[in-house]
Amino acid sequence: ALRAKNGHPEPYNVRYWSLDNEQWIMDSRDYGRLARETAEAMIERDPNLVFWVVGCYPGLESYNEGVLEELGEITDYLSLHAYWDGDYGWTVASNLEFEKEFVKLDEQLKRLVPGKKTWIAFDEWNPGVRTLQAGIGAAALMNSMERHSDKVGMSAPALWYHANTTKVWDNSLVKYDQTRMCVSPLYR
């Protein structure tokens, strides 16, 4: 009713839904049960929905175990987040470590969700700095995701826009204020 009142009487037909974001403060099984309850209610209305669920960042694979044991067959994508920075070599070549992570995570998905293709959604990543080396590292990572496109089904760098008025998260693709904008090497 509210949607129609605002000028759009028909449903928007959104098919892709993230079942929360970075719920690592919750026990993985508690999150999994809550997400399952939510997904099942949504599936009753539309059985063609696609879900991605909260996964871990590299090094917390045990979190995925609990989530996938609760959500298993409902999961279409498992979310992976990573932010990093460091010396030149690490920033430029970090994609090689992520490639190992993609393989490891894909093996975990096959084991915990057998019989269903479950993808990795690398839906938050950022080298953490606005430098040429970060741009090179991001390009290498995008190339790695392309090489592993049989595992990584979606990807998005994090922090697209950032106001110049704050110093927190100074690693966006586009910085702006009321008079101008500036793009980072990652954006180009």
Side-chain angles (χ1 to χ4, degrees), residues 103-166:
V103 170
K104 190 167 52 172
L105 191 51
D106 187 58
E107 289 169 357
Q108 186 181 43
L109 290 167
K110 287 175 181 171
R111 181 174 49 83
L112 293 169
V113 192
K116 178 182 179 182
K117 177 59 181 167
T118 305
W119 298 89
I120 298 166
F122 200 5
D123 56 351
E124 276 191 41
W125 60 267
N126 193 305
V129 291
R130 291 170 26 106
T131 62
L132 180 58
Q133 74 189 38
I136 294 167
L141 177 60
M142 287 186 266
N143 187 272
S144 292
M145 287 185 281
E146 181 68 26
R147 275 198 304 277
H148 289 274
S149 61
D150 61 323
K151 302 168 190 67
V152 181
M154 73 168 68
S155 169
L159 206 57
W160 284 89
Y161 300 101
H162 185 264
N164 281 332
T165 56
T166 178

Side-chain angles (χ1 to χ4, degrees), residues 12-74:
Y12 287 103
N13 295 316
V14 176
R15 288 194 54 233
Y16 287 77
W17 290 90
S18 173
L19 297 174
D20 220 319
N21 183 48
E22 296 184 354
Q23 280 299 332
W24 306 313
I25 195 167
M26 291 179 78
D27 175 78
S28 60
R29 284 176 175 72
D30 290 342
Y31 161 73
R33 284 189 288 276
L34 183 60
R36 174 179 282 284
E37 183 180 312
T38 302
E40 287 173 346
M42 294 172 74
I43 289 168
E44 282 182 29
R45 300 288 304 253
D46 184 349
N48 298 312
L49 298 178
V50 176
F51 295 104
W52 72 96
V53 301
V54 174
C56 71
Y57 50 88
L60 281 181
E61 291 78 14
S62 62
Y63 189 87
N64 295 343
E65 301 274 338
V67 169
L68 293 170
E69 285 171 8
E70 292 296 329
L71 284 163
E73 75 287 351
I74 290 175

Side-chain angles (χ1 to χ4, degrees), residues 73-91:
E73 75 287 351
I74 290 175
T75 304
D76 297 294
Y77 292 86
L78 183 72
S79 178
L80 172 67
H81 294 180
Y83 297 88
W84 67 99
D85 61 12
D87 64 22
Y88 180 84
W90 166 244
T91 302

